Amino acid sequence: MINLLIVDDEKIIRRGLQSVIERQFPNVFNYRFAENGQEALELLRQEPADIMFTDIRMPIMDGIELLEQLQDHPVKPEVVLLSGYNDFAYAQKGIRYAVKDYLVKPVRREELSTVLEQLIRDIRMREEQADKAVEDASVFAAELVTLHLTQIDASDAMTPKKLNHADLSWLNAGYTLGVLTQRGGGSQAGSTDVASFRKQIVELIQPHMNEWMLTRDGKGGTIMLARDPVMFYQLAQRWRLSAHESQLRIAISDSVQGIKQIRQAYGQAKQTLKYGILLPELDVLDYTSISERNERHDVSVEVIGRILNLLGMGRGDEIKQLLDQILDVRIVSCCEIGYLERISQLLNEELFDKLFRIYGYKVLDQLSTHAYVGHIGNFDRFEDYHKAVRQLLDSLDRFIRDRREQVPTVQNTMQKVIAYLQAHYADDLNMAVVSNYFSLNYSYFSQAFQEYTGESFSNYVRRLRLDKAKELLVNSDLKVYEISEQVGFENVKHFARIFKDTEGVTALEFRSQQRLFKTLS
């Protein structure tokens, strides 16, 4: 609201002006009153006013003297003089003090409204310009920090002049960098949610604008610089009290000084953030405490190899014991995060990747979660990661066991299919007819046939028919169209095109060539 100070020695005029203004401009002004210039100065020292209506003739200190005293005041209000007809000469003196307007008593409602409307417009315009200037400065500062964080050499961008212009000189006194993330509550969404997240952060810490800044890390992440690290803990507490569906997790660096240390601080915070999987109960993770974890353990590649060998053997309990040995929470919880990262890397390389190389696309359904399980950063809790790996191993164990049990049956069935095709190659064959003949699911038949023969059903039948056609071309005098019909092609043109594309010569050229070879031999 706009602060309005009314200065007049007559109470009836003060209250009368307030009554008229309230009817014309409800809920726009906060009102204060003074009986003379001296009282008005005291009120203005306590709190500035946006607009001041002041009478000229008042006891103790009149309006003109009040204006003179205000010239040294740090924040001056917009002044409207109230004068009688005989005070015009005094009113002229007010021009020297940049008086906005003057109104003659008794004040007319229309004139009062006109003056106030203009003053309100002027004040709103200045507020917008000030807000934009603050916003532009804030954006400039944020972009400058992001630039320094993401570019290898940003020394030209961070000159002392630009730092001062961006109001970033406070970084020289020391600051802490925090990486801010959300967990749960559907927070892993697109840029609209990121913008909303940053807006929520700003709303929670708005009263401390001179103590912090929010910006980006150039990778879609949100970072915050704060003079006092306590601000991060206060922010986390306010987030909890705001009853957000998601959890706010903050990883903070050591205290550093100067913009040149921002990359070091960012690296510390990012490394600290990884420990969230081991410390899910903490909203704020501090690099100082995390850096004390120096204990290391070797990851046994042999144990992972034993798990690979046991898959499909029906020995799930042994697999579980080996996995519990690798992901022993007592060891993981006291080691640096690199230990768990190494385990995840070896499970990917020595187990999941090897299975894919062995079984190819056939194991894709089971490994569809491979990319998710393959990175510990996708999990809020170590227990969730352990459980996901266990479930994936159970799925792979069932898949491989089923495959081994099916192999003899599949081989026997496919042998019968090949014998059937050898005998009926000239018939009107397609995969639907043959799979129905053997009472097999169409998709299963297609996959099993490809695995057994190394080629698709249609390619196999076409090759079989061409082989029979070549035999007839060499060992009979049948015409080409007769051979085409006998081996099962739908017409001679189709046969001729397929033959030429496959063999590189026409059927007649092939016959002549093969018979010539026979003669020469």
Side-chain angles (χ1 to χ4, degrees):
M1 299 180 77
I2 297 175
N3 291 321
L4 173 60
L5 175 61
I6 301 175
V7 187
D8 198 292
D9 59 332
E10 296 185 41
K11 182 176 181 179
I12 189 170
I13 293 179
R14 297 195 300 268
R15 294 302 179 184
L17 282 173
Q18 178 187 9
S19 177
V20 172
I21 294 171
E22 279 185 337
R23 285 197 295 272
Q24 291 291 108
F25 303 94
N27 303 316
V28 173
F29 297 99
N30 285 321
Y31 298 90
R32 287 186 297 166
F33 306 95
E35 294 184 7
N36 55 65
Q38 185 173 318
E39 186 177 337
L41 282 176
E42 290 298 324
L43 290 175
L44 290 173
R45 290 190 184 102
Q46 296 172 17
E47 183 181 354
D50 299 302
I51 300 172
M52 181 177 72
F53 283 92
T54 180
D55 192 12
I56 291 179
R57 294 183 180 274
M58 294 180 294
I60 302 177
M61 181 185 292
D62 64 21
I64 301 301
E65 187 178 352
L66 171 60
L67 293 179
E68 291 175 352
Q69 294 289 330
L70 276 178
Q71 299 314 299
D72 297 327
H73 204 274
V75 181
K76 302 184 202 45
E78 302 285 6
V79 178
V80 177
L81 283 178
L82 305 175
S83 65
Y85 285 107
N86 296 327
D87 295 328
F88 183 72
Y90 287 99
Q92 285 182 310
K93 294 181 180 180
I95 297 174
R96 291 181 301 179
Y97 304 114
V99 171
K100 279 291 182 179
D101 214 324
Y102 71 92
L103 298 173
V104 178
K105 297 179 181 179
V107 177
R108 296 175 59 188
R109 185 190 308 271
E110 295 80 6
E111 293 177 349
L112 178 62
S113 296
T114 301
V115 168
L116 281 175
E117 285 173 357
Q118 183 60 51
L119 288 172
I120 291 171
R121 281 196 296 270
D122 292 345
I123 290 171
R124 296 301 188 214
M125 184 177 296
R126 284 199 304 272
E127 288 175 347
E128 290 176 4
Q129 291 172 343
D131 289 344
K132 188 175 187 305
V134 170
E135 182 180 348
D136 289 346
S138 176
V139 170
F140 176 68
E143 292 298 331
L144 213 56
V145 170
T146 302
L147 178 67
H148 191 84
L149 190 61
T150 56
Q151 290 193 4
I152 295 176
D153 184 8
S155 56
D156 291 342
M158 303 304 290
T159 61
K161 182 177 180 181
K162 286 188 176 181
L163 282 174
N164 289 329
H165 179 62
D167 197 23
L168 289 175
S169 55
W170 60 271
L171 297 179
N172 294 325
Y175 63 94
T176 301
L177 183 146
V179 175
L180 282 56
T181 62
Q182 293 182 90
R183 290 292 179 179
S187 63
Q188 310 300 318
S191 59
T192 302
D193 285 335
V194 172
S196 175
F197 171 55
R198 291 173 181 161
K199 181 179 178 182
Q200 291 167 351
I201 295 295
V202 170
E203 289 173 350
L204 290 176
I205 48 179
Q206 188 72 38
H208 305 278
M209 282 298 292
N210 294 327
E211 303 293 326
W212 63 275
M213 70 170 299
L214 201 67
T215 185
R216 302 169 292 111
D217 64 0
K219 301 176 182 177
T222 299
I223 63 173
M224 176 175 157
L225 309 182
R227 295 188 184 186
D228 187 348
V230 172
M231 285 198 65
F232 294 105
Y233 294 90
Q234 293 173 341
L235 171 60
Q237 182 181 23
R238 290 171 186 170
W239 185 276
R240 286 195 303 271
L241 295 176
S242 298
H244 288 284
E245 292 182 5
S246 59
Q247 175 194 1
L248 176 65
R249 180 170 291 167
I250 308 172
I252 63 175
S253 69
D254 275 341
S255 179
V256 297
Q257 290 181 314
I259 190 66
K260 292 182 179 180
Q261 300 299 315
I262 193 170
R263 288 181 188 155
Q264 174 188 330
Y266 177 70
Q268 291 177 352
K270 288 293 285 185
Q271 181 68 9
T272 303
L273 186 62
K274 296 178 181 179
Y275 285 85
I277 189 173
L278 301 178
L279 301 166
E281 71 282 359
L282 296 182
D283 295 327
V284 181
L285 304 168
D286 189 339
Y287 178 78
T288 302
S289 60
I290 298 302
S291 61
E292 297 173 357
R293 291 175 173 242
N294 295 316
E295 191 169 351
R296 298 174 180 269
H297 285 270
D298 293 329
V299 182
S300 176
V301 180
E302 291 76 16
V303 175
I304 295 177
R306 286 168 60 189
I307 291 178
L308 178 63
N309 294 333
L310 287 172
L311 288 174
M313 303 293 289
R315 295 159 69 176
D317 289 342
E318 293 180 52
I319 293 174
K320 180 180 181 301
Q321 290 174 2
L322 292 173
L323 181 63
D324 291 344
Q325 178 182 333
I326 294 170
L327 295 175
D328 188 334
V329 66
R330 294 168 299 181
I331 297 176
V332 171
S333 60
C334 66
C335 287
E336 62 178 2
I337 197 66
Y339 175 70
L340 184 57
E341 290 179 320
R342 180 60 177 157
I343 292 174
S344 176
Q345 178 187 2
L346 288 174
L347 285 173
N348 290 337
E349 296 174 353
E350 301 297 327
L351 189 59
F352 304 136
D353 290 349
K354 284 187 176 181
L355 285 174
F356 181 74
R357 289 196 293 270
I358 294 170
Y359 292 99
Y361 68 92
K362 297 180 288 295
V363 77
L364 277 181
D365 286 344
Q366 282 68 36
L367 289 177
S368 59
T369 57
H370 179 194
Y372 188 77
V373 174
H375 196 292
I376 62 171
N378 293 323
F379 297 89
D380 291 344
R381 297 173 175 270
F382 171 74
E383 293 81 0
D384 297 336
Y385 173 70
H386 192 163
K387 180 180 179 181
V389 175
R390 172 70 192 282
Q391 289 175 340
L392 180 54
L393 291 178
D394 287 345
S395 176
L396 291 169
D397 184 49
R398 289 192 300 270
F399 167 78
I400 296 172
R401 187 170 63 248
D402 292 343
R403 295 282 305 169
R404 288 174 176 172
E405 291 173 354
Q406 291 173 4
V407 166
T409 303
V410 171
Q411 288 180 338
N412 185 47
T413 302
M414 287 300 109
Q415 288 173 357
K416 293 178 180 179
V417 169
I418 296 303
Y420 178 85
L421 295 177
Q422 291 284 349
H424 297 85
Y425 64 87
D427 295 348
D428 183 13
L429 293 176
N430 60 59
M431 197 160 60
V433 170
V434 178
S435 61
N436 286 336
Y437 182 84
F438 287 94
S439 301
L440 295 173
N441 174 270
Y442 182 91
S443 298
Y444 170 79
F445 177 82
S446 174
Q447 179 177 324
F449 189 91
Q450 174 107 18
E451 292 175 12
Y452 185 78
T453 64
E455 58 186 327
S456 67
F457 178 86
S458 59
N459 285 345
Y460 182 88
V461 171
R462 182 169 61 249
R463 183 176 57 79
L464 177 60
R465 286 171 172 170
L466 285 175
D467 288 344
K468 297 297 183 180
K470 287 190 285 186
E471 289 179 15
L472 292 174
L473 285 168
V474 175
N475 301 319
S476 77
D477 292 325
L478 292 172
K479 297 184 181 300
V480 172
Y481 76 87
E482 293 174 324
I483 294 174
S484 169
E485 186 178 339
Q486 283 195 22
V487 298
F489 283 93
E490 58 188 42
N491 58 64
V492 69
K493 286 184 179 180
H494 182 233
F495 168 71
R497 181 175 59 79
I498 295 296
F499 194 98
K500 177 70 180 297
D501 289 345
T502 305
E503 302 297 328
V505 295
T506 66
L508 290 177
E509 288 172 339
F510 178 84
R511 171 181 275 173
S512 299
Q513 188 182 65
Q514 293 298 316
R515 287 183 176 179
L516 177 60
F517 290 157
K518 267 185 151 184
T519 303
L520 294 176
S521 62

